[in-house]
């Protein structure tokens, strides 16, 4: 009796499966730098969840736009609850502002982020906004925040916010979330 013929690696489909796995792993490492950090996703989700309803909303063009309101236990967006790592200053830079001339960010230590690259990126398009977390005048994280997620003009102040001050509210106006500082927030707003 003849010995069974040995099947070739390529004809069994193993090469195809190994190729898909390698493609997936390569794609993951290429795409990973473009995934926003959890705190940024949580901040944007909190804005959408806690935003006051638009009194005169445009009709939804998509089912994702028909978000029910009134589910949040509080209208306050507390950055200290959203960001897990320790920070001492939260700075928002609105679209059209120059990061290079920002009083706090121009003097901060940019360790793993390029101050110049972010400034150039923001200068190219006014829809780019910037959120920066600082600790001891060093940039912990700097992320672009796009205007279609919400406008940050109401919280873009030169001195930024301490963890106790970083309490915001949002309202949906014309299909866009508008974020503002909650200067009159009660003392227990973030508990």
């Amino acid at each position: 009796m003849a010995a069974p013929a040995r099947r070739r690696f390529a004809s069994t489909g193993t090469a195809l499966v190994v190729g898909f796995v390698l493609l997936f792993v390569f794609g993951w490492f290429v795409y990973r730098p473009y995934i926003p950090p959890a705190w940024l996703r949580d901040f944007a989700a909190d804005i959408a969840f806690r935003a006051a309803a638009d009194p005169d909303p445009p009709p939804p063009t998509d089912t994702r736009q028909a978000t029910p309101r009134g589910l949040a236990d509080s209208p306050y967006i507390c950055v200290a609850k959203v960001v897990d790592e320790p920070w001492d200053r939260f700075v928002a830079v609105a679209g059209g502002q120059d990061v290079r001339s920002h009083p706090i960010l121009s003097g901060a230590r940019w360790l793993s982020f390029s101050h110049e690259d972010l400034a150039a990126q923001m200068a190219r398009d006014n829809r780019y906004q910037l959120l920066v977390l600082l600790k001891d005048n060093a940039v912990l994280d700097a992320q672009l925040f796009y205007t279609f997620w919400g406008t940050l003009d109401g919280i873009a102040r030169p001195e930024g916010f301490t963890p106790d001050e970083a309490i915001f509210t949002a309202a949906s106006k014309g299909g866009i979330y508008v974020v503002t500082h909650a200067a009159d927030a009660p003392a227990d707003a973030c508990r």
Side-chain angles (χ1 to χ4, degrees):
M1 184 156 143
R6 188 161 186 204
R7 298 178 79 180
R8 285 202 254 151
F9 179 72
S11 67
T12 63
T14 306
L16 183 65
V17 171
V18 169
F20 278 135
V21 168
L22 289 175
L23 182 66
F24 176 76
V25 169
F26 174 75
W28 172 253
F29 282 106
V30 170
Y31 182 66
R32 210 168 82 189
Y34 300 104
I35 299 172
W39 73 264
L40 185 65
R41 292 189 311 265
D42 292 346
F43 181 66
D46 221 22
I47 290 171
F49 182 61
R50 298 181 188 286
D54 191 340
D56 188 29
T61 58
D62 186 306
T63 58
R64 293 172 292 177
Q65 294 173 337
T67 306
R69 296 287 170 210
L71 301 176
D73 57 347
S74 166
Y76 300 108
I77 302 159
C78 303
V79 179
K81 289 173 77 174
V82 174
V83 181
D84 290 333
E85 57 189 288
W87 55 278
D88 57 23
R89 182 88 32 206
F90 177 83
V91 178
V93 180
Q97 290 182 329
D98 187 7
V99 177
R100 289 176 282 249
S101 64
H102 192 278
I104 290 186
L105 299 180
S106 61
R109 292 185 320 272
W110 292 76
L111 306 174
S112 59
F113 298 92
S114 173
H115 184 232
E116 288 301 317
D117 286 349
L118 284 170
Q121 220 172 343
M122 287 187 67
R124 281 195 299 268
D125 193 336
N126 282 343
R127 293 174 295 179
Y128 290 138
Q129 304 168 106
L130 183 66
L131 292 175
V132 181
L133 294 171
L134 296 163
K135 176 73 174 158
D136 300 325
N137 203 34
V139 176
L140 289 178
D141 202 354
Q143 297 292 327
L144 291 174
F145 192 86
Y146 306 99
T147 54
F148 61 83
W149 289 339
T151 59
L152 303 178
D153 296 345
I155 63 171
R157 65 182 195 184
E159 66 273 17
F161 298 92
T162 65
D164 291 335
E165 299 170 329
I167 303 171
F168 311 124
T169 58
S172 180
K173 296 181 182 171
I176 301 290
Y177 295 120
V178 178
V179 182
T180 56
H181 181 230
D184 59 346
D188 63 346
C190 291
R191 290 200 170 97

